[in-house]
Amino acid sequence: MTTQTTRTYDVIVIGAGPVGENVAERVRAAGLSTVIIERDLIGGECSFWACDPSKALLRPVVARADASRVPGIDPAVAGPLDVEAVLAHRDKMSSYWKDEDQADWLNSAGVDLIRGHGRLAGPKQVAVQTSEGDTVHLTARHAVAVSTGTRAALPPIPGHDTVRPWTSREATTATKAPGRLAIVGGGVVAVEMATAWQALGSQVTMLVLENGLLERMEPFAGDLVTEGLREAGVDIRFNTTATSMTREDGEVRITLSDGGRLAADEILLATGRAPQTRDLGLESIGLTPGDWLTVDDTFRVTGVDGGWLYAVGDVNRRALLTHQGKYQARIAGAVIGARANGEHVDDTPWGAHAATADTAAVPQVVFTTPEVASVGLTSREIEHSGRRIKVVDYDLAHVAGAHQYGEDYRGHARMLIDTDRGTVAGVTFAGPGVGELIHSATIAIVGEIPLDRLWHAVPAFPTLSEIWLRLLETHRA
């Protein structure tokens, strides 16, 4: 027998991934009663199907590549990876796809949890179909925050719906390496999964519609990753995509845009993301199901009367990265708390209630061999920025720390300087070990540190961070 109940909270959060969890924790800390709704695992995509499992797969690959460049230990790492051990570590890092610890954390924070499918049912109204089949009608006194994230966007390739393709979820959770893996796409998911599965024993073929990898980043980054993947044995085919596919006799048979054919045991469609809003009840408040939710810098959804609806994380399309979504959650939680308590909202740039970093300083690391790390503008974005920018390049292999890191080090660094303000506008590093450099670049941009002051930030010798000195010297020269 099903039941219906009605409850009222100050704030309702739909989606208990890391973003929704942080929103809920922040508004609860502001003294507001809070409930969070989740139909899948608490912890969301990042914990179970993206960040944690993918980096667990990639860490042994990157560590072996780094060790292979170090004299004295390189022969010890020449053999194949222990695939069973790597997958077991991946399972552990993904908490074996159990979320009890996450539920306990929500309880400790004083946040109520309802497991089920939440849908908007009018202004400040949410209806939840619980996992037991009951219906819970919720009313928010102050705000509803949508943090439902995204799903894989599958391209309209004939046959894709019949071949059981991998998305990022299957790619990060597979229990064995396929003999042959085809990957459609050239972005972050594509290059990271090509790196992982080639090292775990698959023969990987990448079908890339564009003329290079990582097209949204600096061209040299994609070029270095291309070199690394090809040296590892990945077959990369640019200006090529799949035009149809079928699964016959257990294999995927793919027709290519150049008329050729390719057979694989599995195919990964790494072709972007779409918002999880198709079954969210948006039509009940005058919005279109399936659309991204456009927000202002305080995360209020535009076009909704009353200012009660917020969208936080990937669903608003501002910056599809977990760490950026959690940053948004910290801002949104503070905003909701301030407005509910009648406090001043400081939504000026870099204010306590404005997500300025979403447009000025979004850091990202791509865990390939070599790594790529970037923050701020790229040279491709200069013409749209309206700012006078100077591009400064330096070969990372010429830094003393690179020689210590490993033999035959290959890498590159680019710094973009706002010449009117004398500050850093963007930085991109590509090379082994550069992921740990990116926070210093983020601080330089967010802090708007004048280059004359940055000159006095002395990097330790001999580390990769000496690249900062070399970039500044090149600029001053």
Side-chain angles (χ1 to χ4, degrees):
M1 178 179 177
T2 60
T3 61
Q4 296 195 30
T5 57
T6 301
R7 304 181 199 171
T8 299
Y9 289 88
D10 291 327
V11 179
I12 302 168
V13 180
I14 306 177
V19 175
E21 289 177 309
N22 275 267
V23 173
E25 188 273 334
R26 293 287 165 150
V27 295
R28 186 69 190 91
L32 305 178
S33 62
T34 308
V35 62
I36 194 166
I37 304 156
E38 179 54 58
R39 63 180 180 179
D40 213 325
L41 293 175
I42 304 165
E45 203 77 13
C46 181
S47 298
F48 299 106
W49 300 284
C51 317
D52 287 340
S54 68
K55 295 342 172 245
L57 291 174
L58 287 159
R59 179 58 192 150
V61 183
V62 174
R64 182 178 66 170
D66 285 348
S68 69
R69 299 184 183 93
V70 180
I73 64 171
D74 50 327
V77 297
L81 294 174
D82 183 336
V83 177
E84 184 176 337
V86 172
L87 296 182
H89 174 64
R90 183 271 318 270
D91 295 350
K92 179 181 179 182
M93 293 302 293
S94 302
S95 301
Y96 304 101
W97 292 274
K98 300 179 185 297
D99 65 358
E100 289 86 353
D101 287 347
Q102 304 266 11
D104 289 344
W105 180 83
L106 285 172
N107 184 59
S108 70
V111 177
D112 287 354
L113 167 67
I114 301 177
R115 292 184 182 268
H117 188 167
R119 298 177 181 87
L120 295 166
K124 297 185 181 180
Q125 304 294 312
V126 176
V128 185
Q129 193 74 27
T130 72
S131 52
E132 293 81 20
D134 298 327
T135 301
V136 181
H137 297 281
L138 300 173
T139 299
R141 295 187 186 92
H142 297 291
V144 175
V146 174
S147 300
T148 50
T150 60
R151 56 180 173 81
L154 300 182
I157 301 173
H160 84 270
D161 54 341
T162 65
V163 302
R164 303 183 302 279
W166 280 9
T167 66
S168 54
R169 283 197 168 198
E170 290 76 21
T172 56
T173 60
T175 57
K176 65 178 181 180
R180 300 163 298 172
L181 174 62
I183 299 179
V184 179
V188 175
V189 171
V191 298
E192 288 193 343
M193 291 299 94
T195 300
W197 288 110
Q198 180 72 30
L200 291 171
S202 299
Q203 174 53 59
V204 175
T205 302
M206 298 184 70
L207 307 176
V208 184
L209 182 61
E210 296 82 12
N211 194 39
L213 300 178
L214 301 174
E215 287 284 277
R216 294 184 180 180
M217 306 184 88
E218 295 286 5
F220 66 79
D223 291 344
L224 284 166
V225 171
T226 298
E227 289 179 19
L229 286 170
R230 283 180 166 159
E231 288 175 1
V234 176
D235 178 5
I236 305 175
R237 306 184 189 185
F238 291 120
N239 304 306
T240 304
T241 192
T243 56
S244 67
M245 60 188 72
T246 60
R247 188 179 284 273
E248 302 176 29
D249 300 324
E251 69 177 13
V252 181
R253 299 177 184 177
I254 309 158
T255 302
L256 306 178
S257 55
D258 61 5
R261 294 182 180 276
L262 177 68
D265 298 294
E266 300 291 350
I267 183 168
L268 165 60
L269 301 180
T271 50
R273 308 292 295 178
Q276 288 274 29
T277 61
R278 290 183 299 184
D279 194 13
L280 187 61
L282 292 181
E283 65 280 1
S284 71
I285 56 171
L287 299 179
T288 303
D291 279 0
W292 299 94
L293 296 178
T294 304
V295 298
D296 62 20
D297 284 348
T298 69
F299 300 105
R300 272 180 166 169
V301 177
T302 59
V304 176
D305 292 339
W308 57 272
L309 183 64
Y310 293 75
V312 192
D314 287 3
V315 74
N316 63 36
R317 208 182 191 179
R318 287 169 66 103
L320 276 67
L321 296 160
T322 296
H323 50 269
Q324 210 66 25
K326 291 166 73 173
Y327 160 76
Q328 294 180 9
R330 295 190 291 272
I331 300 291
V335 168
I336 294 169
R339 285 175 173 151
N341 293 320
E343 300 168 358
H344 171 67
V345 172
D346 179 9
D347 58 1
T348 58
W350 303 116
H353 304 112
T356 313
D358 279 354
T359 54
V362 176
Q364 181 173 15
V365 178
V366 184
F367 293 85
T368 44
T369 52
E371 290 180 343
V372 177
S374 68
V375 63
L377 288 177
T378 66
S379 56
R380 286 172 169 162
E381 297 168 330
I382 290 175
E383 59 185 84
H384 304 295
S385 71
R387 298 159 71 180
R388 292 198 303 165
I389 301 293
K390 176 182 177 181
V391 178
V392 180
D393 285 297
Y394 198 84
D395 187 340
L396 257 167
H398 293 163
V399 174
H403 297 291
Q404 296 288 351
Y405 200 93
E407 291 186 326
D408 300 320
Y409 188 103
R410 282 176 290 173
H412 195 81
R414 174 168 291 173
M415 178 169 66
L416 306 184
I417 295 172
D418 185 321
T419 56
D420 291 327
R421 304 181 65 193
T423 56
V424 179
V427 179
T428 299
F429 302 117
V434 299
E436 298 302 328
L437 291 174
I438 203 59
H439 194 56
S440 57
T442 305
I443 292 171
I445 294 172
V446 171
E448 299 177 332
I449 302 173
L451 294 179
D452 288 345
R453 176 59 63 86
L454 198 59
W455 179 251
H456 295 280
V458 181
F461 180 88
T463 66
L464 288 175
S465 62
E466 197 178 12
I467 184 60
W468 281 104
L469 174 58
R470 301 306 172 212
L471 287 167
L472 290 169
E473 285 178 332
T474 303
H475 163 60
R476 289 162 73 96

